[in-house]
Short mmCIF file of all heavy atoms in Angstrom, two decimals:
data_model
loop_
_atom_site.label_atom_id
_atom_site.label_comp_id
_atom_site.label_asym_id
_atom_site.label_seq_id
_atom_site.Cartn_x
_atom_site.Cartn_y
_atom_site.Cartn_z
N GLY A 678 -21.88 -6.46 2.91
CA GLY A 678 -20.50 -6.15 2.53
C GLY A 678 -19.52 -7.18 3.07
O GLY A 678 -18.71 -7.73 2.33
N PHE A 679 -19.63 -7.46 4.37
CA PHE A 679 -18.75 -8.47 4.96
C PHE A 679 -18.94 -9.82 4.27
O PHE A 679 -17.99 -10.48 3.88
CB PHE A 679 -19.06 -8.66 6.45
CG PHE A 679 -18.56 -7.55 7.34
CD1 PHE A 679 -19.44 -6.73 8.03
CD2 PHE A 679 -17.20 -7.36 7.51
CE1 PHE A 679 -18.97 -5.73 8.87
CE2 PHE A 679 -16.72 -6.37 8.35
CZ PHE A 679 -17.62 -5.55 9.03
N ARG A 680 -20.21 -10.21 4.14
CA ARG A 680 -20.53 -11.54 3.64
C ARG A 680 -20.02 -11.74 2.21
O ARG A 680 -19.43 -12.75 1.88
CB ARG A 680 -22.05 -11.76 3.70
CG ARG A 680 -22.46 -13.16 3.91
CD ARG A 680 -23.98 -13.35 3.96
NE ARG A 680 -24.75 -12.30 4.57
CZ ARG A 680 -25.53 -11.40 3.91
NH1 ARG A 680 -25.63 -11.45 2.64
NH2 ARG A 680 -26.21 -10.49 4.54
N SER A 681 -20.27 -10.75 1.36
CA SER A 681 -19.97 -10.96 -0.05
C SER A 681 -18.54 -10.60 -0.43
O SER A 681 -18.05 -11.03 -1.46
CB SER A 681 -20.95 -10.14 -0.91
OG SER A 681 -20.76 -8.75 -0.67
N MET A 682 -17.84 -9.83 0.41
CA MET A 682 -16.54 -9.32 -0.06
C MET A 682 -15.34 -9.65 0.83
O MET A 682 -14.22 -9.75 0.32
CB MET A 682 -16.62 -7.80 -0.23
CG MET A 682 -17.68 -7.39 -1.25
SD MET A 682 -17.63 -5.63 -1.63
CE MET A 682 -18.37 -4.90 -0.17
N ALA A 683 -15.57 -9.78 2.14
CA ALA A 683 -14.40 -9.89 3.03
C ALA A 683 -13.52 -11.09 2.67
O ALA A 683 -12.29 -11.02 2.75
CB ALA A 683 -14.86 -9.98 4.49
N TRP A 684 -14.13 -12.19 2.25
CA TRP A 684 -13.33 -13.38 1.95
C TRP A 684 -12.53 -13.23 0.65
O TRP A 684 -11.54 -13.93 0.45
CB TRP A 684 -14.23 -14.63 1.87
CG TRP A 684 -15.27 -14.58 0.77
CD1 TRP A 684 -16.50 -13.99 0.85
CD2 TRP A 684 -15.17 -15.13 -0.54
NE1 TRP A 684 -17.18 -14.14 -0.34
CE2 TRP A 684 -16.39 -14.84 -1.21
CE3 TRP A 684 -14.18 -15.85 -1.22
CZ2 TRP A 684 -16.63 -15.23 -2.53
CZ3 TRP A 684 -14.42 -16.24 -2.53
CH2 TRP A 684 -15.64 -15.93 -3.17
N ARG A 685 -12.94 -12.33 -0.20
CA ARG A 685 -12.25 -12.20 -1.50
C ARG A 685 -11.18 -11.13 -1.49
O ARG A 685 -10.16 -11.25 -2.16
CB ARG A 685 -13.27 -11.81 -2.58
CG ARG A 685 -14.18 -12.91 -2.96
CD ARG A 685 -15.35 -12.39 -3.77
NE ARG A 685 -14.99 -11.98 -5.12
CZ ARG A 685 -15.80 -11.27 -5.90
NH1 ARG A 685 -16.97 -10.87 -5.46
NH2 ARG A 685 -15.42 -10.95 -7.11
N PHE A 686 -11.43 -10.01 -0.82
CA PHE A 686 -10.54 -8.86 -1.00
C PHE A 686 -9.55 -8.71 0.15
O PHE A 686 -9.25 -7.60 0.58
CB PHE A 686 -11.38 -7.61 -1.26
CG PHE A 686 -12.21 -7.77 -2.51
CD1 PHE A 686 -13.56 -8.05 -2.45
CD2 PHE A 686 -11.60 -7.70 -3.75
CE1 PHE A 686 -14.31 -8.25 -3.60
CE2 PHE A 686 -12.34 -7.90 -4.92
CZ PHE A 686 -13.70 -8.17 -4.84
N ASN A 687 -9.09 -9.86 0.65
CA ASN A 687 -8.04 -9.81 1.66
C ASN A 687 -6.73 -10.34 1.06
O ASN A 687 -6.73 -11.07 0.07
CB ASN A 687 -8.46 -10.58 2.92
CG ASN A 687 -8.61 -12.06 2.65
OD1 ASN A 687 -7.65 -12.76 2.43
ND2 ASN A 687 -9.87 -12.54 2.66
N ALA A 688 -5.62 -9.96 1.67
CA ALA A 688 -4.31 -10.29 1.09
C ALA A 688 -3.97 -11.77 1.23
O ALA A 688 -3.15 -12.28 0.46
CB ALA A 688 -3.22 -9.42 1.71
N ASP A 689 -4.58 -12.48 2.19
CA ASP A 689 -4.33 -13.93 2.25
C ASP A 689 -4.83 -14.59 0.97
O ASP A 689 -4.12 -15.40 0.37
CB ASP A 689 -5.05 -14.55 3.46
CG ASP A 689 -4.29 -14.34 4.75
OD1 ASP A 689 -3.43 -13.43 4.79
OD2 ASP A 689 -4.55 -15.07 5.72
#
Side-chain angles (χ1 to χ4, degrees):
F679 285 115
R680 210 180 324 107
S681 64
M682 300 188 285
W684 62 275
R685 287 166 72 193
F686 300 103
N687 65 70
D689 280 19

